[in-house]
Amino acid sequence: MRKTRIAVLCSGGGTNFQAIVNAQEAGLIPHGEVVLVVADNKDAYVLQRAARYHIESVVVDKREFPDRAEREEVILSVMRGHDIEFIVFAGFMTILSADFVSAYEGRIINIHPALIPSFCGPGYYGLKVHEAVLARGVKVTGATVHYVTEVCDGGPVIAQKAVEVREDDTPETLQKRVMREAEWVILPEAVELVAKKLQGEE
Ligand code: GAR
């Protein structure tokens, strides 16, 4: 079977990347294959994970390319150079311009650690999301996979999963539970769903 060529873009630890690779190894992503990891800093632990699975990686470091337009041009040329058809943001802490998004319209997805439209948009990323959830006192949170558009966290929703907030949660314990119960479950499922859909559009 032909596989949609996937790039995963990350900024840090890469546990969501790991979840995608685990699903791939278990045969749960038959319509796609992760062929490239792009990190926006050279110290991102995800680079070690990629090496372990012999998946090619490229660093487009924010410090080396502080100008966003220039950085995006570099990322786009890396994508084109590797014949990438589908881009997955898995903990990628960069907001991209409309120009970048339009070059891969309907072909970029993102995982967000809350139930969009709650606790999303500029400033809501990583642990900050869980801090805001606890400060507001909501009893249910979760994760969302959505298409990326020029509006931060504003694209069409693909999948969501709810997670209980506990009385004794800290931002760290809540983050861990949201990852384990929601993110690592719905992201690999969404990757397969979109990889398959993109083949139907050929
Ligand atoms: C994940 O919780 C992801 O949902 C979040 O960053 C973490 C990355 O962890 N993404 C955002 O906040 C995007 N706005 P990981 O590197 O271990 O996958």
Side-chain angles (χ1 to χ4, degrees):
M1 192 191 302
R2 200 188 82 73
K3 292 181 186 286
T4 301
R5 292 175 63 80
I6 304 169
V8 181
L9 275 58
C10 300
S11 299
T15 65
N16 277 288
F17 164 77
Q18 185 72 55
I20 295 167
V21 170
N22 291 350
Q24 188 169 287
E25 301 245 305
L28 299 174
I29 309 186
H31 292 86
E33 182 180 6
V34 177
V35 295
L36 182 69
V37 168
V38 176
D40 63 5
N41 73 87
K42 65 176 175 34
D43 304 317
Y45 181 68
V46 70
L47 295 167
Q48 295 183 39
R49 294 186 195 268
R52 208 177 296 151
Y53 292 93
H54 307 289
I55 295 173
E56 194 179 339
S57 59
V58 172
V59 178
V60 182
D61 204 300
K62 278 184 170 177
R63 286 161 293 195
E64 197 181 332
F65 298 100
D67 179 66
R68 186 171 89 166
E70 191 187 346
R71 190 166 68 241
E72 289 187 359
E73 207 35 64
V74 174
I75 297 175
L76 270 183
S77 69
V78 169
M79 295 297 144
R80 292 186 180 122
H82 289 79
D83 296 321
I84 297 302
E85 304 170 280
F86 176 22
I87 300 174
V88 178
F89 288 4
F92 189 57
M93 305 304 180
T94 299
I95 299 174
L96 294 167
S97 70
D99 281 349
F100 186 98
V101 172
S102 70
Y104 271 88
E105 180 122 43
R107 292 172 176 270
I108 313 176
I109 69 171
N110 177 51
I111 178 87
H112 182 74
L115 293 174
I116 288 175
S118 292
F119 306 105
C120 67
Y124 286 101
Y125 59 89
L127 213 51
K128 288 181 192 292
V129 176
H130 306 290
E131 286 166 0
V133 163
L134 292 177
R136 185 63 184 83
V138 296
K139 304 303 175 202
V140 175
T141 183
T144 303
V145 181
H146 63 93
Y147 284 104
V148 173
T149 65
E150 68 281 5
V151 181
C152 176
D153 295 332
V157 170
I158 301 166
Q160 289 188 304
K161 194 163 188 287
V163 173
E164 173 201 10
V165 180
R166 296 190 187 148
E167 288 285 322
D168 59 351
D169 265 328
T170 63
E172 290 78 10
T173 62
L174 185 57
Q175 179 182 52
K176 193 81 194 162
R177 186 163 350 95
V178 168
M179 284 178 157
R180 201 174 45 237
E181 293 183 10
E183 297 186 40
W184 301 341
V185 177
I186 63 174
L187 184 58
E189 288 175 359
V191 167
E192 167 57 14
L193 193 86
V194 176
K196 186 175 178 187
K197 179 173 172 284
L198 290 175
Q199 290 189 0
E201 287 176 5
E202 281 174 359

Short mmCIF file of all heavy atoms in Angstrom, two decimals, residues 110-153:
data_model
loop_
_atom_site.label_atom_id
_atom_site.label_comp_id
_atom_site.label_asym_id
_atom_site.label_seq_id
_atom_site.Cartn_x
_atom_site.Cartn_y
_atom_site.Cartn_z
N ASN A 110 -2.70 19.67 14.36
CA ASN A 110 -2.03 20.01 15.62
C ASN A 110 -2.74 19.33 16.77
O ASN A 110 -3.96 19.15 16.74
CB ASN A 110 -2.10 21.55 15.81
CG ASN A 110 -1.50 22.00 17.13
OD1 ASN A 110 -0.37 21.65 17.47
ND2 ASN A 110 -2.24 22.81 17.88
N ILE A 111 -1.96 18.97 17.81
CA ILE A 111 -2.57 18.48 19.06
C ILE A 111 -2.52 19.61 20.07
O ILE A 111 -1.46 20.23 20.27
CB ILE A 111 -1.87 17.20 19.59
CG1 ILE A 111 -2.47 16.72 20.91
CG2 ILE A 111 -0.37 17.38 19.75
CD1 ILE A 111 -3.63 15.82 20.78
N HIS A 112 -3.67 19.88 20.70
CA HIS A 112 -3.74 20.92 21.73
C HIS A 112 -4.20 20.28 23.03
O HIS A 112 -5.18 19.53 23.04
CB HIS A 112 -4.70 22.05 21.32
CG HIS A 112 -4.75 23.15 22.33
ND1 HIS A 112 -3.72 24.06 22.48
CD2 HIS A 112 -5.66 23.46 23.28
CE1 HIS A 112 -4.01 24.89 23.46
NE2 HIS A 112 -5.18 24.55 23.98
N PRO A 113 -3.56 20.62 24.18
CA PRO A 113 -3.87 19.91 25.43
C PRO A 113 -5.05 20.49 26.22
O PRO A 113 -4.95 20.71 27.43
CB PRO A 113 -2.56 20.02 26.21
CG PRO A 113 -1.99 21.33 25.78
CD PRO A 113 -2.38 21.49 24.33
N ALA A 114 -6.16 20.76 25.53
CA ALA A 114 -7.40 21.20 26.20
C ALA A 114 -8.55 20.95 25.22
O ALA A 114 -8.33 20.60 24.05
CB ALA A 114 -7.33 22.67 26.57
N LEU A 115 -9.77 21.15 25.71
CA LEU A 115 -10.94 20.97 24.86
C LEU A 115 -11.25 22.30 24.17
O LEU A 115 -11.90 23.17 24.76
CB LEU A 115 -12.14 20.48 25.70
CG LEU A 115 -12.01 19.07 26.28
CD1 LEU A 115 -13.19 18.77 27.21
CD2 LEU A 115 -11.92 18.02 25.18
N ILE A 116 -10.75 22.47 22.96
CA ILE A 116 -11.02 23.69 22.19
C ILE A 116 -12.54 23.83 22.02
O ILE A 116 -13.21 22.83 21.77
CB ILE A 116 -10.31 23.58 20.81
CG1 ILE A 116 -8.78 23.74 21.01
CG2 ILE A 116 -10.83 24.60 19.82
CD1 ILE A 116 -7.96 23.53 19.74
N PRO A 117 -13.19 25.01 22.24
CA PRO A 117 -12.57 26.34 22.27
C PRO A 117 -12.17 26.83 23.67
O PRO A 117 -11.94 28.03 23.83
CB PRO A 117 -13.66 27.23 21.68
CG PRO A 117 -14.93 26.59 22.16
CD PRO A 117 -14.66 25.11 22.13
N SER A 118 -12.11 25.96 24.67
CA SER A 118 -11.62 26.40 25.98
C SER A 118 -10.09 26.38 26.02
O SER A 118 -9.47 25.48 25.43
CB SER A 118 -12.13 25.47 27.08
OG SER A 118 -13.52 25.59 27.23
N PHE A 119 -9.52 27.30 26.76
CA PHE A 119 -8.09 27.30 27.08
C PHE A 119 -7.21 27.11 25.83
O PHE A 119 -6.39 26.20 25.76
CB PHE A 119 -7.78 26.21 28.13
CG PHE A 119 -8.65 26.34 29.34
CD1 PHE A 119 -9.70 25.46 29.56
CD2 PHE A 119 -8.45 27.37 30.24
CE1 PHE A 119 -10.52 25.59 30.68
CE2 PHE A 119 -9.27 27.51 31.36
CZ PHE A 119 -10.31 26.62 31.58
N CYS A 120 -7.45 27.96 24.83
CA CYS A 120 -6.66 27.86 23.60
C CYS A 120 -6.38 29.26 23.07
O CYS A 120 -6.85 30.25 23.63
CB CYS A 120 -7.39 27.02 22.57
SG CYS A 120 -8.92 27.76 21.96
N GLY A 121 -5.61 29.33 22.02
CA GLY A 121 -5.24 30.62 21.42
C GLY A 121 -3.87 31.06 21.90
O GLY A 121 -3.18 30.34 22.62
N PRO A 122 -3.46 32.28 21.48
CA PRO A 122 -2.11 32.75 21.83
C PRO A 122 -1.87 32.71 23.35
O PRO A 122 -2.74 33.08 24.13
CB PRO A 122 -2.12 34.20 21.32
CG PRO A 122 -3.15 34.21 20.23
CD PRO A 122 -4.20 33.23 20.65
N GLY A 123 -0.73 32.22 23.75
CA GLY A 123 -0.37 32.18 25.18
C GLY A 123 -0.75 30.87 25.86
O GLY A 123 -0.27 30.60 26.95
N TYR A 124 -1.61 30.10 25.24
CA TYR A 124 -2.01 28.81 25.83
C TYR A 124 -1.20 27.68 25.18
O TYR A 124 -1.55 27.22 24.10
CB TYR A 124 -3.50 28.55 25.64
CG TYR A 124 -4.40 29.38 26.52
CD1 TYR A 124 -5.03 30.51 26.03
CD2 TYR A 124 -4.60 29.04 27.86
CE1 TYR A 124 -5.85 31.28 26.84
CE2 TYR A 124 -5.42 29.81 28.68
CZ TYR A 124 -6.04 30.92 28.16
OH TYR A 124 -6.84 31.68 28.97
N TYR A 125 -0.14 27.30 25.85
CA TYR A 125 0.66 26.18 25.35
C TYR A 125 1.30 25.46 26.53
O TYR A 125 1.51 26.06 27.60
CB TYR A 125 1.73 26.65 24.35
CG TYR A 125 2.68 27.65 24.93
CD1 TYR A 125 3.85 27.23 25.57
CD2 TYR A 125 2.41 29.01 24.87
CE1 TYR A 125 4.72 28.15 26.13
CE2 TYR A 125 3.28 29.94 25.44
CZ TYR A 125 4.43 29.50 26.06
OH TYR A 125 5.28 30.41 26.63
N GLY A 126 1.55 24.17 26.33
CA GLY A 126 2.25 23.38 27.35
C GLY A 126 1.59 23.46 28.72
O GLY A 126 0.36 23.46 28.85
N LEU A 127 2.42 23.61 29.75
CA LEU A 127 1.94 23.62 31.13
C LEU A 127 1.00 24.79 31.43
O LEU A 127 0.13 24.70 32.31
CB LEU A 127 3.16 23.68 32.06
CG LEU A 127 3.08 22.96 33.40
CD1 LEU A 127 2.62 21.51 33.26
CD2 LEU A 127 4.43 23.02 34.10
N LYS A 128 1.16 25.89 30.68
CA LYS A 128 0.31 27.08 30.91
C LYS A 128 -1.17 26.73 30.75
O LYS A 128 -2.02 27.30 31.42
CB LYS A 128 0.68 28.20 29.93
CG LYS A 128 2.00 28.86 30.21
CD LYS A 128 2.24 29.97 29.20
CE LYS A 128 3.66 30.48 29.26
NZ LYS A 128 3.99 31.19 30.49
N VAL A 129 -1.46 25.82 29.84
CA VAL A 129 -2.86 25.42 29.61
C VAL A 129 -3.42 24.79 30.87
O VAL A 129 -4.51 25.13 31.33
CB VAL A 129 -2.94 24.42 28.43
CG1 VAL A 129 -4.36 23.91 28.26
CG2 VAL A 129 -2.42 25.05 27.15
N HIS A 130 -2.66 23.88 31.47
CA HIS A 130 -3.13 23.15 32.65
C HIS A 130 -3.19 24.06 33.88
O HIS A 130 -4.07 23.89 34.72
CB HIS A 130 -2.25 21.92 32.87
CG HIS A 130 -2.16 21.07 31.64
ND1 HIS A 130 -3.23 20.33 31.17
CD2 HIS A 130 -1.17 20.91 30.72
CE1 HIS A 130 -2.88 19.74 30.05
NE2 HIS A 130 -1.64 20.07 29.75
N GLU A 131 -2.28 25.01 33.96
CA GLU A 131 -2.34 26.02 35.05
C GLU A 131 -3.65 26.80 34.94
O GLU A 131 -4.32 27.03 35.95
CB GLU A 131 -1.14 26.97 34.95
CG GLU A 131 0.17 26.33 35.39
CD GLU A 131 1.41 27.14 34.99
OE1 GLU A 131 1.26 28.21 34.37
OE2 GLU A 131 2.52 26.67 35.27
N ALA A 132 -4.02 27.19 33.72
CA ALA A 132 -5.25 27.97 33.51
C ALA A 132 -6.49 27.12 33.82
O ALA A 132 -7.46 27.62 34.40
CB ALA A 132 -5.30 28.48 32.07
N VAL A 133 -6.45 25.86 33.47
CA VAL A 133 -7.57 24.95 33.76
C VAL A 133 -7.78 24.86 35.27
O VAL A 133 -8.92 24.99 35.76
CB VAL A 133 -7.29 23.55 33.15
CG1 VAL A 133 -8.19 22.48 33.74
CG2 VAL A 133 -7.43 23.60 31.63
N LEU A 134 -6.70 24.68 36.02
CA LEU A 134 -6.81 24.56 37.48
C LEU A 134 -7.25 25.89 38.10
O LEU A 134 -8.07 25.91 39.01
CB LEU A 134 -5.49 24.07 38.08
CG LEU A 134 -5.10 22.63 37.71
CD1 LEU A 134 -3.74 22.28 38.30
CD2 LEU A 134 -6.15 21.63 38.19
N ALA A 135 -6.73 27.00 37.58
CA ALA A 135 -7.09 28.32 38.13
C ALA A 135 -8.58 28.59 37.93
O ALA A 135 -9.23 29.20 38.78
CB ALA A 135 -6.25 29.41 37.47
N ARG A 136 -9.14 28.14 36.81
CA ARG A 136 -10.56 28.39 36.51
C ARG A 136 -11.46 27.42 37.26
O ARG A 136 -12.65 27.65 37.43
CB ARG A 136 -10.78 28.27 34.98
CG ARG A 136 -12.17 28.63 34.51
CD ARG A 136 -12.49 30.09 34.82
NE ARG A 136 -13.87 30.42 34.45
CZ ARG A 136 -14.93 30.19 35.22
NH1 ARG A 136 -14.75 29.62 36.42
NH2 ARG A 136 -16.14 30.52 34.84
N GLY A 137 -10.89 26.29 37.68
CA GLY A 137 -11.66 25.35 38.48
C GLY A 137 -12.62 24.46 37.70
O GLY A 137 -13.56 23.91 38.29
N VAL A 138 -12.39 24.30 36.39
CA VAL A 138 -13.27 23.40 35.63
C VAL A 138 -13.02 21.95 36.07
O VAL A 138 -11.95 21.62 36.58
CB VAL A 138 -13.09 23.53 34.09
CG1 VAL A 138 -13.49 24.92 33.62
CG2 VAL A 138 -11.66 23.21 33.69
N LYS A 139 -14.01 21.11 35.90
CA LYS A 139 -13.93 19.73 36.38
C LYS A 139 -13.56 18.74 35.28
O LYS A 139 -13.25 17.58 35.54
CB LYS A 139 -15.26 19.31 37.01
CG LYS A 139 -15.71 20.23 38.14
CD LYS A 139 -14.66 20.32 39.25
CE LYS A 139 -15.06 21.33 40.32
NZ LYS A 139 -13.89 21.81 41.07
N VAL A 140 -13.67 19.21 34.04
CA VAL A 140 -13.33 18.35 32.90
C VAL A 140 -12.44 19.14 31.95
O VAL A 140 -12.69 20.31 31.68
CB VAL A 140 -14.62 17.92 32.13
CG1 VAL A 140 -14.25 17.12 30.88
CG2 VAL A 140 -15.53 17.10 33.03
N THR A 141 -11.37 18.50 31.49
CA THR A 141 -10.55 19.10 30.43
C THR A 141 -10.31 18.00 29.39
O THR A 141 -11.15 17.11 29.26
CB THR A 141 -9.25 19.70 31.00
OG1 THR A 141 -8.54 20.34 29.94
CG2 THR A 141 -8.37 18.68 31.69
N GLY A 142 -9.20 18.06 28.65
CA GLY A 142 -8.98 17.01 27.67
C GLY A 142 -7.99 17.44 26.61
O GLY A 142 -7.11 18.26 26.88
N ALA A 143 -8.13 16.89 25.41
CA ALA A 143 -7.23 17.25 24.31
C ALA A 143 -8.03 17.31 23.02
O ALA A 143 -9.09 16.69 22.89
CB ALA A 143 -6.10 16.23 24.20
N THR A 144 -7.47 18.06 22.07
CA THR A 144 -8.13 18.26 20.77
C THR A 144 -7.10 18.11 19.66
O THR A 144 -6.00 18.67 19.76
CB THR A 144 -8.72 19.70 20.68
OG1 THR A 144 -9.62 19.90 21.78
CG2 THR A 144 -9.42 19.92 19.35
N VAL A 145 -7.45 17.41 18.60
CA VAL A 145 -6.67 17.44 17.37
C VAL A 145 -7.48 18.24 16.36
O VAL A 145 -8.67 18.00 16.19
CB VAL A 145 -6.39 16.03 16.81
CG1 VAL A 145 -5.54 16.14 15.53
CG2 VAL A 145 -5.69 15.16 17.84
N HIS A 146 -6.80 19.20 15.72
CA HIS A 146 -7.53 20.05 14.77
C HIS A 146 -6.63 20.37 13.57
O HIS A 146 -5.41 20.27 13.64
CB HIS A 146 -7.98 21.35 15.45
CG HIS A 146 -6.84 22.19 15.94
ND1 HIS A 146 -6.27 23.19 15.19
CD2 HIS A 146 -6.13 22.16 17.09
CE1 HIS A 146 -5.27 23.74 15.87
NE2 HIS A 146 -5.16 23.13 17.03
N TYR A 147 -7.29 20.78 12.46
CA TYR A 147 -6.52 21.27 11.32
C TYR A 147 -5.94 22.63 11.67
O TYR A 147 -6.55 23.40 12.40
CB TYR A 147 -7.43 21.40 10.09
CG TYR A 147 -7.75 20.08 9.44
CD1 TYR A 147 -8.99 19.49 9.61
CD2 TYR A 147 -6.79 19.42 8.66
CE1 TYR A 147 -9.28 18.27 9.02
CE2 TYR A 147 -7.08 18.21 8.07
CZ TYR A 147 -8.32 17.63 8.25
OH TYR A 147 -8.60 16.42 7.67
N VAL A 148 -4.76 22.89 11.15
CA VAL A 148 -4.11 24.18 11.38
C VAL A 148 -4.51 25.15 10.28
O VAL A 148 -4.40 24.83 9.09
CB VAL A 148 -2.57 24.02 11.43
CG1 VAL A 148 -1.87 25.37 11.49
CG2 VAL A 148 -2.18 23.16 12.64
N THR A 149 -5.00 26.32 10.71
CA THR A 149 -5.27 27.41 9.78
C THR A 149 -4.46 28.62 10.27
O THR A 149 -3.70 28.50 11.23
CB THR A 149 -6.77 27.77 9.77
OG1 THR A 149 -7.13 28.27 11.07
CG2 THR A 149 -7.64 26.57 9.43
N GLU A 150 -4.69 29.77 9.64
CA GLU A 150 -3.92 30.95 10.06
C GLU A 150 -4.39 31.48 11.43
O GLU A 150 -3.72 32.28 12.06
CB GLU A 150 -3.96 32.06 8.99
CG GLU A 150 -5.29 32.71 8.78
CD GLU A 150 -6.23 31.87 7.92
OE1 GLU A 150 -5.89 30.72 7.57
OE2 GLU A 150 -7.34 32.37 7.65
N VAL A 151 -5.55 30.98 11.91
CA VAL A 151 -6.04 31.37 13.24
C VAL A 151 -5.50 30.39 14.28
O VAL A 151 -5.74 29.17 14.17
CB VAL A 151 -7.59 31.35 13.28
CG1 VAL A 151 -8.09 31.77 14.67
CG2 VAL A 151 -8.17 32.23 12.20
N CYS A 152 -4.77 30.90 15.27
CA CYS A 152 -4.13 30.03 16.27
C CYS A 152 -5.17 29.18 17.00
O CYS A 152 -6.10 29.72 17.63
CB CYS A 152 -3.37 30.91 17.27
SG CYS A 152 -2.63 30.00 18.62
N ASP A 153 -5.06 27.87 16.90
CA ASP A 153 -5.98 26.90 17.51
C ASP A 153 -7.41 27.03 16.99
O ASP A 153 -8.36 26.57 17.64
CB ASP A 153 -5.98 27.00 19.05
CG ASP A 153 -4.64 26.64 19.67
OD1 ASP A 153 -3.90 25.84 19.05
OD2 ASP A 153 -4.32 27.15 20.76
#
